[in-house]
Amino acid sequence: YYFQTVPRALLTTFRCSFGDCSTKGGTPIFEFATTEGDSSGTWLGMALSCFIFISSVGLFNIISAVFLERVMAYASDLAVQKQQKRLIDTRLWHRNIAKFIDIMV
């Protein structure tokens, strides 16, 4: 019933992608697919489970990588801004030159 026609299969896939992956009676579709009587249901259930697991881990990995890249770029920009601020500071330059002259004398 849930995968007999293409539109119904698309609707079932859409529902499963948002967490409502159960039959009308409340039975999970994984269990429904594996108890159809033939061995292909077992393989389809295992394939679907693997697909969902790999998709979830892959999606989490991509989100984490984007977040980490943004944080690292922000830290790099902050370090460059701090260095430019120190280079423009004339008081710091005068103080360091005074210390250098005191050490030399």
Side-chain angles (χ1 to χ4, degrees):
Y1 172 74
Y2 295 99
F3 295 101
Q4 288 180 351
T5 64
V6 173
R8 183 63 191 171
L10 289 174
L11 178 64
T12 303
T13 305
F14 179 75
R15 284 182 49 216
C16 283
S17 65
F18 287 104
D20 183 27
C21 204
S22 60
T23 63
K24 287 181 181 178
T27 307
I29 288 185
F30 294 121
E31 188 175 329
F32 178 75
T34 59
T35 58
E36 285 295 312
D38 58 352
S39 64
S40 65
T42 304
W43 290 109
L44 289 174
M46 288 174 37
L48 184 60
S49 298
C50 289
F51 173 74
I52 290 173
F53 174 75
I54 290 170
S55 322
S56 300
V57 170
L59 183 63
F60 181 71
N61 190 14
I62 290 171
I63 291 171
S64 298
V66 168
F67 176 73
L68 185 62
E69 181 184 6
R70 297 266 172 111
V71 168
M72 295 301 290
Y74 177 74
S76 175
D77 290 343
L78 192 62
V80 167
Q81 287 176 358
K82 189 175 179 181
Q83 183 181 19
Q84 287 177 347
K85 187 176 177 182
R86 284 183 51 122
L87 288 173
I88 294 172
D89 189 7
T90 56
R91 285 183 159 187
L92 180 64
W93 188 82
H94 288 294
R95 239 181 317 184
N96 287 338
I97 292 296
K99 285 180 187 177
F100 179 71
I101 292 174
D102 285 341
I103 291 172
M104 296 301 284
V105 175

